[in-house]
Amino acid sequence: MAAMNDNLSASRQIVMSGIRPTGFLHLGNFFGAVKNYVRMQDEYECYFMVADLHSLTTHPDTKELKANVQRVLAENIACGLDPDKVALYCQSHIFETAELYLYLNMLAYVGELEKTTTFKDKIRLQPQNINAGLLTYPVLQAADIILHRARFVPVGKDQEQHLEMARNYVNRFNHRYGDVFPEPVAFNFGEELVKVPSLDGAGKMSKSENQLATLYLSDDDDLIRKKVMKAKTDSGPAAPNSPKPDYIENIFLLMKLVCGEEVISKFSADYDNCTIRYGDLKKQLAEDMVSFIRPIREKAEAIRNNETYLREVMEKGAEKARKSARATMEIVRESMGLKYF
Ligand code: TYM
């Protein structure tokens, strides 16, 4: 694996992404992000991290942080990520991130930060703690990405605006100090970015909100069945070939993630000719979800209990990430004129 930075970086495109340790990983995290990480790990130079610093903007209490970081690492590995192929690390272990974040803050305007959708959402949720870290959250995210001079960022649809902001900072930096960074783009194997909807037809699956309408990779079989059976449906279409209401469209979208083609065609045809039985559809979806989630959950549990292994993963990941970060920061300081001898 020493080859990752030494021999291959010149020939492989660089990929970076992160996940906050603010709760259990769910189907949205898997299909929006981790699935792509796993597909990318053989062909790209990959940096994937647990964004523990970002989590402090909303979760300042650190009592559970270590366990949460370990859980996210274990879940990533259980999904198929190989710590020997990628740099899998913890954000706070790479001090260079904070330095780059500081420089980028001088290129970020308060007005545009205040208009960011995630900032507006968060201040609605936590009016008692509108901290400056929350405001500059997208600046820290941009620092994470460009610290490795990454080009591709596998993320779900909700991160599109943050990526656009990262490109703005890159352009401002390059314009002022010289061509240092490539423009990072959100990535999903040539397809639209993914948004996995919640089971109640309102919004998306989420780590900390909407927990009964979110399927977590740690949910046991019965809980998965219970959540799916509660998904919002109705009495069925009144006329053949009717358009589907959003909440039914969402259920079909969830089926596309885990069910076979023939199952989807059968229930689509049943919907179109008004014979659909939502009870049967949900039973089938629940069983396919159970088959999908169970092996990941079992693997993650085993990995989570192996603290020594997780520590090794974190150390190895940090070492790889630091090497790339240090190389970038040398160039950054030089191009900014911060070297005086
Ligand atoms: P976070 O922790 O909210 O989510 C992690 C990843 O999961 C994706 N995701 C979804 N995709 C589809 N449908 C959903 N319902 C869904 N919910 C979450 C997210 O798009 C994300 O890809 N700001 C980031 C963390 C971060 C980061 C970075 C990402 C910090 N630094 C650098 C990329 C690059 C976040 O809060 O992700």
Side-chain angles (χ1 to χ4, degrees), residues 95-287:
F95 303 151
E96 288 79 2
T97 310
E99 184 187 352
L100 186 54
Y101 169 55
L102 177 83
Y103 300 152
L104 292 184
N105 268 316
M106 320 306 179
L107 299 168
Y109 303 118
V110 172
E112 67 193 359
L113 290 166
E114 281 171 340
K115 285 194 212 116
T116 313
T117 311
T118 45
F119 178 67
K120 289 197 277 187
D121 289 346
K122 298 261 167 67
I123 62 175
R124 239 190 332 263
L125 289 170
Q126 54 177 63
Q128 77 298 349
N129 180 17
I130 306 175
N131 59 76
L134 210 51
L135 182 68
T136 56
Y137 183 113
V139 186
L140 180 57
Q141 180 159 344
D144 293 330
I145 298 167
I146 69 176
L147 189 60
H148 303 295
R149 284 166 283 163
R151 171 98 180 98
F152 298 123
V153 186
V155 281
K157 195 154 180 55
D158 59 308
Q159 296 296 314
E160 222 166 17
Q161 191 180 29
H162 289 169
L163 263 293
E164 194 185 317
M165 295 172 83
R167 285 193 291 280
N168 288 338
Y169 305 143
V170 159
N171 286 324
R172 285 175 206 162
F173 186 100
N174 288 349
H175 184 67
R176 184 166 290 276
Y177 300 117
D179 232 356
V180 173
F181 299 112
E183 276 191 17
V185 290
F187 186 86
N188 183 29
F189 279 97
E191 291 167 35
E192 279 274 295
L193 297 182
V194 176
K195 174 185 163 186
V196 177
S198 63
L199 289 161
D200 59 5
K204 61 183 175 78
M205 290 199 184
S206 150
K207 277 197 234 94
S208 39
E209 299 151 44
N210 228 355
Q211 298 192 347
L212 280 175
T214 295
L215 290 168
Y216 296 93
L217 301 179
S218 55
D219 283 348
D220 67 34
D221 295 356
D222 284 344
L223 187 55
I224 297 169
R225 292 189 183 103
K226 205 164 112 192
K227 286 181 179 176
V228 173
M229 295 313 286
K230 280 213 169 122
K232 179 172 173 175
T233 50
D234 52 27
S235 52
N241 302 313
S242 305
K244 298 185 182 80
D246 284 352
Y247 50 91
I248 298 296
E249 198 67 76
N250 284 350
I251 293 187
F252 274 89
L253 212 151
L254 291 170
M255 289 178 74
K256 284 200 188 112
L257 301 177
V258 294
C259 300
E261 282 288 337
E262 60 309 329
V263 169
I264 298 163
S265 321
K266 177 205 159 353
F267 285 107
S268 294
D270 289 355
Y271 182 88
D272 286 339
N273 61 32
C274 304
T275 58
I276 192 151
R277 291 157 61 121
Y278 286 127
D280 292 348
L281 178 153
K282 289 199 267 187
K283 262 188 213 143
Q284 176 72 48
L285 177 60
E287 288 321 306

